[in-house]
Structures are given as C-alpha cells and as structure tokens.
Amino acid sequence: DTGEYSFASRILIDSTTGAGNNVGVIERSNDSDLFQFTAPASGPSSLIVARSGSSALRQRITLLDASGATISSVTSPDASSPTSQTITFQGVRDVTYYLVVQPFENPNSPNANTSTTGDYTVNVQTAPIDDYPNVGEFTLAAALQFNRTTGLAQIGGSAAGDSSNARISPSSDSD
C-alpha cells in the first residue's frame, strides 16, 4: 500500500534488456498497490500499466522518487475498451523508483464504464547496462588514450564487426 515503502513489491529488472514486469489486483475501492524497481543504467525509461483480461479497473498510476516525491502521474479514462497508461521519464542508474497503482473515480462524474476494482499488469522498460555508459553519465565515461604522434584515439578495433568495437544497442542506447 502507498507509504509502506519497505513492503513495496519489487519489480526485478533484467540488466541486459532493461525490462521487468509484475501483476496486481485492486481488491477494494480504497486499496492501492506499491511497487519498486531500480534502474540498471541511465536513459529513457517507461512504465505501462494495463488492465488484464476482462478487468474494468480505472486506475491512476503515480511514479515516485526514492523520497516519495511525485515524478509523474496519469489517470486512465472511463472507457470500456481495454486501456493502458504510460509514464515516460529519464531513469538514473542505480536509483530506486516507486510506482503506485490505485483505483480512480471522479466524485463529480462517477465511473459509467469502469470500476474501482480489478487486475492489471505492470511493464517497466529502462535503459539496459551495455558496453559503455550512456549520455550524462560522465563520471563513468571510458578514458581515451591519445597517440602523441598522430593525436588520434579510438575505442575498439579498426575493422567493422570487431568484437571490441563499441556498439549502439538497443536503439535507445547512447554512449
């Protein structure tokens, strides 16, 4: 539940893909679920919370930093078709984030097509750990050794496909 940070359900992030997932159920209209995950690297990140199967849950999702301050929040519409809500943000390496999933009903306009209970899935995509740190991670940057005669420096080999060459993968990667 919200505020019980030490009891938050952990979403394990695969450091090679940056992906993680979990599932949840809102059992009561005053329920909330709290998840935590740690970004393995800095870079573009997203959270997607989607209703599962025949669930009609209308949810509000909120991303919090380690101190509990809100980074972003989004509420699903009162729509009968399956919906998902997405939060995008710049993840920071080794920082723990919290996700709150809670039911939503506008007191001035009660839900007509959704409910305040139901199940859902959580998918997290963060920047994966790769061959070199990402843009902004200057303290982790690889040192270049310059040739005093030519003034040139390089990382990796001189031929395409050399396994020591730096690589940009996945497409959201930066070095």
Side-chain angles (χ1 to χ4, degrees):
D1 286 342
T2 306
E4 298 176 339
Y5 298 106
S6 62
F7 297 109
S9 297
R10 182 159 259 322
I11 299 173
L12 298 176
I13 305 296
D14 182 325
S15 62
T16 59
T17 65
N21 59 65
N22 212 324
V23 296
V25 178
I26 299 295
E27 295 96 352
R28 302 175 316 279
S29 62
N30 63 346
D31 190 13
S32 65
D33 292 344
L34 181 65
F35 297 91
Q36 68 169 298
F37 63 93
T38 302
S42 295
S45 302
S46 65
L47 301 168
I48 300 172
V49 177
R51 295 194 298 216
S52 301
S54 62
S55 176
L57 175 65
R58 183 177 186 193
Q59 77 270 359
R60 171 176 285 161
I61 62 173
T62 305
L63 177 63
L64 307 172
D65 66 16
S67 69
T70 298
I71 296 172
S72 184
S73 185
V74 65
T75 302
S76 64
D78 184 19
S80 58
S81 61
T83 63
S84 64
Q85 298 308 119
T86 302
I87 292 176
T88 58
F89 64 103
Q90 285 295 314
V92 177
R93 181 185 298 262
D94 296 329
V95 169
T96 297
Y97 296 93
Y98 294 91
L99 171 66
V100 178
V101 179
Q102 61 194 111
F104 180 79
E105 183 162 26
N106 182 339
N108 298 320
S109 177
N111 295 341
N113 301 303
T114 56
S115 72
T116 56
T117 61
D119 54 334
Y120 60 89
T121 61
V122 177
N123 291 293
V124 179
Q125 183 63 57
T126 65
I129 294 177
D130 61 1
D131 56 348
Y132 291 99
N134 294 321
V135 169
E137 297 182 306
F138 300 112
T139 60
L140 303 174
L144 292 173
Q145 299 299 317
F146 286 86
N147 180 307
R148 291 179 186 222
T149 305
T150 65
L152 300 175
Q154 76 180 40
I155 291 179
S158 298
D162 187 317
S163 63
S164 67
N165 289 346
R167 62 184 166 71
I168 300 296
S169 178
S171 61
S172 62
D173 186 19
S174 62
D175 289 341

